[in-house]
Amino acid sequence: MANALNFTMGGLLEDIARRFPDNDALVYPDRGLRYSYRQFDALTDRVAKGLLKLGVGKGDHVAIWATNVPEWVVLMFATGKIGAVLVTVNTSYKSAELEYILEQSDATTLFLVQGFKDTDYVATVGEVIPELQTSQPGKLDSKKLPFLKNLVFLGGGAPAGMLAYDEIERLGAQVADAELAAAKAALEPHEVINMQYTSGTTGFPKGVMLTHHNIINNGFNIGECMKFTEKDRLCIPVPFFHCFGCVLGVLACVTHGSAMVPVETFNPEAVLKTVEAEKCTAVHGVPTMFIAELEHPAFRKYDLSTLRSGIMAGSPCPIEVMKRVIRDMNCSEITIAYGQTESSPVITQTRTDDPIELRVATVGRALPDVEVKIVDIETGASLPPGKQGELCTRGYLVMKGYYKLPEETARAIDAEGWLHTGDLAVMDENGYCKITGRIKNMIIRGGENIYPREIEEFLYSHPKVSDVQVYGVPDRKYGEQVMAAVKLKEGDSCTEQEIKDFCRGRIANYKIPYYVKFVDEYPMTASGKIQKFKLREMAIQELHLEEAAALETA
């Protein structure tokens, strides 16, 4: 790579703080919080020292279960400075999902907020870790989670068994500068620094291991595609636990000395207000977010004249929405990005100066130093332009692998280093790609990836369910909704509500089937394979979703 940034996370932040010390780094207008890059660098040093004092060191796994609070960004760099691996936890998760991730990731430390939407995180942690009530902060001894020692509460007044976040900085005061310097010096850019969980066809989430080098260079190239400089100010309403928030958001900014202006939990008016108040030049979002902003009754009253760019991604982008964002939000240089967690995450992106038809109808071309090819699903042979096949990518962006899952890793990355995305695409002669479908029937609902197998496995545990098939059906607002075709056990009866109630509180709300249909049989191939695409076609007719199905996306 000719232009690779060869930094660790700490090295990157120190370099930017030297070059743009007085630039805004992190701004939360509603909290009255504003850190310059100099202040932000110093703060992350203090928190990094506190982590060392807590016993967290290189290679340890630190989980964070929180909305877009300031501490999230601080911890991303504080863990990065000492080589601890940040494990990001989806804010919508419930008890079973949290327990699985804490166990599978071998997390030693968990940072958490009080809760989000209808989930009380503190109560949920209490369910998963009953020993917490009677344990001393920092000395947890959990039968189910033997690695987990520290729970740190992001908020005032720590619950039983937890340490308050403020304590971390105070602990850091007891650590010498030389100790932090030694920890930083022991790091290398190709070491794993970030672990994000992505579900798979196996039905259980897999920990994608990403290095300093993976995410810093991906963030830098993403920012380059938006023509970012130290004068840009990005409104970030997408969640940090996704690569969309922490790479396309945080790292696209930090690699350019730009200002990060997060929105803690998405609210369309909060985004409009933030853009106006902070004169943001760019804004990110999944299509549903942009739709909610454009359709907000107060949309016209906000001044969005400073906007120029940003990214729409996370799920297929309706062409009409893209045009409205360009026209009505002043985002004349908005871009579309495509990728997946396993590729740090962006593989292709449109450029600010691409003609409008390419910017609304494709997901762009490969980022610099990234190879992309389309291969035949049956033979694996490379296909010429205009032919549909599986999109594969190779380069600095490919993950180290899935944590503790070598066979899964070998299935995803072939012997020549190509990552197989599982997505169907067509590439034109200039390298611009259109995503045309998914080999494995993944559902993308409002930017959330949902894997049918995971929900199917869960619904099989219902006492009345004999068989279940989960698939996506078109939806105007979210792109897709989850539908379940359920076969009941002989002699049992059940209602749609009963199935939904069984899911509530046990799996994330966005995974709960929106539609439930009871069936006696499934459409099959001659060899006995269930045809989910036929179930989808039937649902489109029965539920009159033809209009949603016809929406054109890139």
Side-chain angles (χ1 to χ4, degrees):
M1 277 179 73
N3 305 317
L5 301 185
N6 210 27
F7 287 117
T8 59
M9 293 285 281
L12 168 72
L13 182 55
E14 282 158 16
D15 179 67
I16 293 293
R18 263 195 308 273
R19 288 166 55 200
F20 310 108
D22 301 319
N23 267 24
D24 279 345
L26 187 62
V27 181
Y28 282 79
D30 50 337
R31 287 182 179 232
L33 182 151
R34 193 176 298 272
Y35 295 127
S36 68
Y37 270 102
R38 184 194 286 115
Q39 291 168 325
F40 184 65
D41 184 39
L43 171 61
T44 55
D45 269 356
R46 295 196 296 274
V47 174
K49 285 182 181 180
L51 291 171
L52 289 173
K53 186 69 181 172
L54 203 60
V56 176
K58 181 176 176 176
D60 286 338
H61 291 181
V62 175
I64 180 162
W65 196 22
T67 49
N68 287 7
V69 291
E71 295 90 341
W72 213 112
V73 194
V74 173
L75 284 163
M76 184 172 164
F77 287 91
T79 52
K81 284 181 168 181
I82 60 172
V85 178
L86 192 68
V87 179
T88 67
V89 184
N90 189 314
T91 50
S92 299
Y93 275 1
K94 308 284 189 200
S95 56
E97 296 149 320
L98 176 73
E99 184 180 326
Y100 172 81
I101 279 183
L102 290 176
E103 183 185 13
Q104 206 279 335
S105 69
D106 301 325
T108 67
T109 305
L110 171 66
F111 285 85
L112 70 153
V113 291
Q114 179 65 53
F116 174 60
K117 288 189 175 165
D118 61 347
T119 308
D120 183 327
Y121 290 0
V122 174
T124 303
V125 165
E127 274 171 54
V128 173
I129 313 164
E131 303 94 334
L132 190 62
Q133 278 301 320
T134 53
S135 88
Q136 287 287 92
K139 297 199 170 70
L140 177 67
D141 188 8
S142 163
K143 206 158 65 221
K144 274 192 276 193
L145 304 167
F147 282 85
L148 191 63
K149 294 294 166 229
N150 311 301
L151 283 94
V152 185
F153 185 65
L154 303 174
M162 297 190 200
L163 206 63
Y165 177 78
D166 298 349
E167 284 297 303
I168 304 286
E169 253 189 276
R170 280 202 281 281
L171 286 170
Q174 303 167 36
V175 174
D177 289 351
E179 195 182 328
L180 177 59
K184 289 177 182 175
L187 306 184
E188 195 272 308
H190 290 279
E191 289 164 343
V192 175
I193 200 59
N194 188 290
M195 212 152 88
Q196 312 217 3
Y197 275 79
T198 179
S199 300
T201 45
T202 51
F204 289 101
K206 301 189 286 280
V208 174
M209 297 186 288
L210 301 173
T211 65
H212 302 263
H213 192 75
N214 284 148
I215 60 177
I216 287 172
N217 282 285
N218 205 247
F220 174 72
N221 283 316
I222 290 161
E224 288 291 284
C225 285
M226 291 186 284
K227 296 208 174 102
F228 263 18
T229 71
E230 73 280 6
K231 300 211 165 34
D232 279 291
R233 305 175 68 77
L234 173 66
C235 177
I236 313 174
V238 289
F240 290 149
F241 71 79
H242 267 169
C243 274
F244 201 167
C246 67
V247 182
L248 288 77
V250 172
L251 284 170
C253 287
V254 175
T255 50
H256 291 82
S258 312
M260 301 172 264
V261 191
V263 172
E264 284 181 46
T265 56
F266 176 71
N267 167 303
E269 191 161 16
V271 174
L272 299 169
K273 205 175 271 180
T274 302
V275 168
E276 178 180 89
E278 286 299 319
K279 300 189 163 33
C280 293
T281 59
V283 61
H284 284 357
V286 298
T288 46
M289 289 179 173
F290 281 108
I291 292 166
E293 289 149 21
L294 287 160
E295 292 181 354
H296 194 277
F299 176 75
R300 295 267 166 232
K301 93 173 206 217
Y302 290 99
D303 177 7
L304 309 180
S305 61
T306 54
L307 280 178
R308 170 185 70 79
S309 189
I311 295 173
M312 193 188 295
S315 66
C317 302
I319 288 168
E320 282 312 307
V321 176
M322 202 53 192
K323 287 178 174 166
R324 284 177 66 193
V325 170
I326 291 170
R327 185 184 70 226
D328 300 340
M329 291 181 78
N330 207 46
C331 282
S332 58
E333 299 181 4
I334 188 97
T335 66
I336 285 185
Y338 155 77
Q340 54 184 208
T341 312
E342 290 87 342
S343 57
S344 302
V346 174
I347 300 170
T348 67
Q349 190 173 348
T350 58
R351 309 309 200 256
T352 57
D353 50 4
D354 279 338
I356 179 113
E357 48 283 4
L358 283 177
R359 284 198 289 136
V360 297
T362 77
V363 292
R365 54 190 163 92
L367 288 184
D369 300 307
V370 169
E371 293 178 80
V372 172
K373 67 175 179 178
I374 309 292
V375 302
D376 186 290
I377 300 167
E378 304 295 324
T379 67
S382 288
L383 293 170
K387 291 278 183 219
Q388 177 179 273
E390 182 182 19
L391 190 143
C392 299
T393 187
R394 185 166 68 176
Y396 74 83
L397 74 175
V398 175
M399 65 172 176
K400 264 275 164 82
Y402 296 118
Y403 185 59
K404 298 194 302 194
L405 294 168
E407 296 85 6
E408 295 275 2
T409 302
R411 270 201 286 277
I413 304 167
D414 68 26
E416 291 173 348
W418 288 96
L419 172 71
H420 291 251
T421 63
D423 284 325
L424 294 169
V426 175
M427 195 186 331
D428 73 12
E429 50 288 340
N430 299 314
Y432 285 81
C433 297
K434 269 188 180 194
I435 305 303
T436 52
R438 292 181 293 282
I439 297 171
K440 300 188 187 106
N441 298 315
M442 182 175 77
I443 301 164
I444 302 183
R445 179 194 177 277
E448 289 284 2
N449 289 0
I450 301 172
Y451 293 79
R453 178 82 182 269
E454 189 181 346
I455 304 169
E456 288 163 358
E457 297 286 2
F458 176 77
L459 288 174
Y460 279 129
S461 67
H462 190 292
K464 293 181 179 178
V465 170
S466 146
D467 200 352
V468 58
Q469 292 296 317
V470 171
Y471 46 100
V473 294
D475 184 79
R476 228 195 143 76
K477 182 175 180 189
Y478 290 103
E480 283 183 303
Q481 284 286 11
V482 178
M483 181 156 184
V486 177
K487 257 189 190 171
L488 296 174
K489 288 178 180 163
E490 197 68 50
D492 272 327
S493 66
C494 186
T495 66
E496 186 169 347
Q497 200 51 47
E498 214 173 314
I499 296 287
K500 291 180 180 181
D501 290 347
F502 178 75
C503 298
R504 203 147 276 125
R506 296 179 67 194
I507 61 172
N509 289 348
Y510 67 84
K511 295 179 187 172
I512 298 174
Y514 188 78
Y515 302 105
V516 178
K517 175 186 179 179
F518 296 96
V519 298
D520 297 322
E521 56 187 9
Y522 298 114
M524 302 274 204
T525 64
S527 61
K529 284 194 180 138
I530 293 168
Q531 296 174 299
K532 282 194 178 177
F533 73 93
K534 286 215 167 145
L535 284 167
R536 178 182 161 99
E537 284 168 5
M538 284 152 60
I540 289 169
Q541 283 191 308
E542 288 162 17
L543 299 166
H544 307 297
L545 301 173
E546 292 87 348
E547 197 184 333
L551 276 184
E552 237 192 301
T553 60

